[in-house]
Amino acid sequence: KQIVVQKLREAERGVIYDEFTNRDSDLVRGKVIRIEDENLIVEVGKTEAILVPSEQTINDHYKIGDWVRAYIIEVHKGGKGPQVYLSRTHPNFVRRLVELEVPEVQEGIIEIKGVAREAGARAKVAVNSKDPNVEAVGSCVGQRGTRIQPVLDELGEEKLDIIEWSPKVGVYVANALSPSKIISVALNDDDKSCRVVVPDNQLSLAIGKEGQNARLAARLTGWKIDIKSFKQAKNDPLPDDMHEVDISEAMAVFKPRQKKGKK
């Protein structure tokens, strides 16, 4: 009898392991049943998953009985059954949340091209539409923000920028620095560096708090970004190894107001 029971348990553990191995890199929702040394033990289906402190954001404050949504980062085969490790800080946590709320992403009409994130503070998601009749950013945000709101609710105080991806590096960099407006972008293709010029009153917005906006834009695009105000750029000639590119397609191009002539 003991051998049969043991074999049944092993078989059940194997089934659960296979199930979660197949769900690796997926979102799950479970209930917090214990807290051990600040680790949240989350009941997910027939198994217990672990959400360690380093995989929780500064906005997360869960207690026993709370429901939590998280991303599966690892599944190990342990002696007492599968060990499932969760994360709420992984960039793909945001990716999966957007996929969950936007049908066009699930259908493959809109593609998520990249995610850059500093968990608990800010995230940027680059999207691209394969259908010219479908607007990528608008579809992800939804009418009056209805689609993006559940994602924001899940992220708490973390800010989220949905930006338009572009095959043109200059346009992509300009979009990635949202919400700042951009005057010009110059590229050095050899070392993947660029100089971005912004209006004088937009410099701090482009750089972001403690450099966060610029840092995330660089991580998202894969380019080193040097940001200068219009005034700084006037006194600092463009290096010979850089060339200015057309960014007229960018979503946040600065358009100076035309002065009205006297009648």
Side-chain angles (χ1 to χ4, degrees), residues 7-144:
K7 292 292 183 185
L8 284 171
R9 282 177 182 164
E10 287 175 3
E12 187 178 13
R13 287 170 189 163
V15 168
I16 294 170
Y17 175 77
D18 291 341
E19 178 195 342
F20 279 95
T21 301
N22 293 332
R23 294 182 70 183
D24 189 20
S25 305
D26 200 4
L27 277 185
V28 290
R29 187 169 179 265
K31 184 185 274 189
V32 179
I33 55 172
R34 292 194 312 282
I35 299 176
E36 299 175 354
D37 299 326
E38 298 184 0
N39 298 323
L40 300 183
I41 310 302
V42 183
E43 187 178 54
V44 181
K46 293 181 179 180
T47 195
E48 295 177 359
I50 302 167
L51 183 58
V52 300
S54 61
E55 297 296 339
Q56 300 170 40
T57 76
I58 55 172
N59 304 321
D60 291 339
H61 306 286
Y62 290 103
K63 57 185 185 297
I64 294 171
D66 286 350
W67 287 87
V68 56
R69 180 172 275 152
Y71 174 77
I72 299 175
I73 48 171
E74 278 185 285
V75 182
H76 294 310
K77 204 166 189 174
K80 295 182 179 180
Q83 290 287 310
V84 181
Y85 292 90
L86 305 176
S87 173
R88 284 179 54 83
T89 63
H90 200 286
N92 282 344
F93 178 62
V94 175
R95 180 189 289 267
R96 292 287 181 261
L97 287 174
V98 174
E99 287 175 355
L100 197 66
E101 299 297 333
V102 184
E104 290 86 349
V105 176
Q106 298 167 20
E107 294 163 9
I109 299 169
I110 292 174
E111 185 181 4
I112 297 176
K113 300 291 284 188
V115 180
R117 185 184 185 204
E118 292 191 359
R122 193 179 205 110
K124 289 181 181 285
V125 178
V127 293
N128 178 55
S129 175
K130 297 178 182 177
D131 184 340
N133 298 316
V134 177
E135 209 272 304
V137 174
S139 297
C140 291
V141 172
Q143 195 171 11
R144 296 181 182 177

